[in-house]
Amino acid sequence: MSMKSKSTSELKASIHRVEEICKSNKLGLTEIRKQVFEIIVKNNIPIKAYEILDKISNINNKPSHPPTVYRAIDFLIENGFVHKLNSINSFVGCFHPNAHKECYFLICKKCNIYQECCDDSLKDRISKTAIHNNFVISNTTLEIEGHCLDCSQK
Amino acid sequence: MSMKSKSTSELKASIHRVEEICKSNKLGLTEIRKQVFEIIVKNNIPIKAYEILDKISNINNKPSHPPTVYRAIDFLIENGFVHKLNSINSFVGCFHPNAHKECYFLICKKCNIYQECCDDSLKDRISKTAIHNNFVISNTTLEIEGHCLDCSQK
DNA sequence: TAATATATGTTATGTTATAACATTGTAATG
DNA sequence: CATTACAATGTTATAACATAACATATATTA
């Protein structure tokens, strides 16, 4: 699997999917939340909160404030539409929301492209590790940093 | 494996081990670096940089500044004596430095006790996932948050 | 000893995130 | 319809986390 960025149609589909999920679950996908989601998914690399803030301010032609952005992000994360990459304080869109609540990531340090890598065998292995330690998982952060194929060949 | 805190003898051994490694590798384990390491390992839960700062200031009876602490932390992380938990912006001591450069963690959200869980099968699984994606790993963050046995029974 | 490298001190500032409270919009209920 | 309640957003301020830049000190070695 390559780490190329998403196509326009993939982006559209992703946005449409979120709209549908919100509609059917009666989640308030307000204008700001939608704007923030679109900014995040259209960015093909992880984006920072204050970068979103700048973009939102530009779109709406008036300054926005951090809480506005962080609240929207919270909403999007709570509902599985967006993930936070703790290792780089950045946010990425989820391209299969509802498939699972946890996502694992490969993050290229050179080109910053990221890739979800949530295969079941990995999930199982983490689950077994937790069980082995009598531990009940609430959430998992797995972020693998390194170099993607393209960047490691250069 | 329980998540109880380390015994005094384990702490002493841990500190002594670091001293030995530094001596044999000619790493400058200065007074401040040693103080910061001891503060981190003696704390049986993950500790934050500014908590370390307070403790250092108290020990030395004079105010220290953030760069002093962050530099010491950098040194300790570079040499594998300490790890950062990105999901909670906190630091923990490593009780088997040099065994491997990566560590995986279970972190109890209730009592904050943490547990290293670096078994090979998990490491292999992560490694395979990377290979499958043509990805070359430089570093991995795996932090499993949830509840330990004691806290999930209460 | 002079030159160099390593570590620390100090000031300031950059970056990331949230608290607290006011205001607005909207839906539900009497 | 007015009232209440709730959800969302606006706004100001500040908390929490981290580093840049430059000065000073300490140790190493040519």
Side-chain angles (χ1 to χ4, degrees):
Chain A
M1 198 187 289
S2 82
M3 292 186 70
K4 67 174 168 23
S5 57
K6 306 293 182 213
S7 69
T8 310
S9 63
E10 280 175 303
L11 292 177
K12 273 192 179 167
S14 175
I15 292 163
H16 187 248
R17 202 183 311 119
V18 164
E19 287 171 341
E20 289 305 305
I21 292 171
C22 286
K23 199 183 278 178
S24 60
N25 294 341
K26 296 192 203 260
L27 299 171
L29 185 63
T30 60
E31 192 53 31
I32 284 178
R33 289 168 177 176
K34 198 171 156 182
Q35 284 176 354
V36 170
F37 180 72
E38 292 197 10
I39 288 168
I40 292 172
V41 293
K42 283 180 179 168
N43 212 63
N44 65 345
I45 60 174
I47 189 170
K48 289 176 174 286
Y50 278 73
E51 292 173 348
I52 298 170
L53 185 58
D54 286 346
K55 288 179 188 259
I56 282 281
S57 298
N58 283 332
I59 288 171
N60 298 319
N61 253 310
K62 59 169 183 180
S64 283
H65 306 284
T68 302
V69 168
Y70 280 104
R71 283 170 187 149
I73 290 171
D74 286 347
F75 168 87
L76 296 168
I77 289 177
E78 268 165 27
N79 294 294
F81 305 143
V82 157
H83 297 286
K84 177 174 183 183
L85 302 185
N86 288 309
S87 59
I88 54 174
N89 294 323
S90 300
F91 303 90
V92 297
C94 183
F95 283 83
H96 42 219
N98 283 1
H100 41 63
K101 78 177 211 289
E102 303 282 292
C103 256
Y104 313 139
F105 296 94
L106 299 165
I107 310 160
C108 180
K109 281 181 155 177
K110 238 179 204 161
C111 67
N112 292 316
I113 291 275
Y114 69 97
Q115 167 79 43
E116 297 178 357
C117 62
C118 323
D119 50 287
D120 284 341
S121 51
L122 188 46
K123 194 181 165 191
D124 286 352
R125 192 63 255 162
I126 289 171
S127 176
K128 284 196 180 92
T129 299
I131 289 166
H132 181 248
N133 286 281
N134 295 311
F135 193 84
V136 181
I137 299 180
S138 67
N139 60 293
T140 302
T141 297
L142 174 55
E143 295 161 22
I144 303 170
E145 288 183 277
H147 294 113
C148 69
L149 182 60
D150 285 354
C151 289
S152 56
Q153 282 174 342
K154 269 170 205 158
Chain B
M1 199 187 287
S2 81
M3 291 185 70
K4 67 175 168 23
S5 57
K6 306 292 183 216
S7 68
T8 309
S9 63
E10 280 176 303
L11 293 178
K12 273 192 180 168
S14 176
I15 292 164
H16 187 249
R17 201 183 312 119
V18 165
E19 287 172 340
E20 290 304 306
I21 293 170
C22 286
K23 199 182 281 177
S24 61
N25 293 343
K26 295 193 205 266
L27 300 171
L29 184 63
T30 60
E31 191 53 30
I32 283 177
R33 289 168 175 176
K34 198 170 157 184
Q35 284 177 354
V36 169
F37 179 70
E38 292 197 11
I39 287 168
I40 292 172
V41 294
K42 283 180 178 167
N43 212 62
N44 65 345
I45 60 174
I47 189 170
K48 288 172 175 290
Y50 276 72
E51 291 173 349
I52 297 169
L53 185 58
D54 286 346
K55 286 179 191 261
I56 282 282
S57 297
N58 282 332
I59 288 170
N60 299 319
N61 253 311
K62 60 170 183 180
S64 283
H65 306 285
T68 303
V69 167
Y70 281 104
R71 283 168 186 151
I73 290 171
D74 286 347
F75 168 86
L76 296 168
I77 289 177
E78 267 166 26
N79 293 294
F81 305 142
V82 157
H83 297 287
K84 177 174 183 183
L85 302 185
N86 288 309
S87 59
I88 54 174
N89 294 324
S90 300
F91 303 89
V92 297
C94 182
F95 283 84
H96 43 219
N98 284 0
H100 42 64
K101 79 176 209 290
E102 302 281 290
C103 255
Y104 312 140
F105 296 95
L106 299 165
I107 309 160
C108 180
K109 281 182 155 176
K110 238 177 203 162
C111 68
N112 294 316
I113 292 276
Y114 69 96
Q115 167 80 45
E116 297 177 357
C117 60
C118 323
D119 51 285
D120 284 341
S121 52
L122 188 45
K123 194 181 164 189
D124 286 352
R125 192 63 255 163
I126 289 172
S127 177
K128 284 196 180 95
T129 298
I131 290 166
H132 180 249
N133 287 282
N134 295 313
F135 194 85
V136 181
I137 298 180
S138 66
N139 60 292
T140 303
T141 297
L142 175 55
E143 295 161 21
I144 303 171
E145 289 183 278
H147 293 112
C148 69
L149 182 59
D150 286 355
C151 288
S152 56
Q153 283 174 341
K154 270 168 203 160

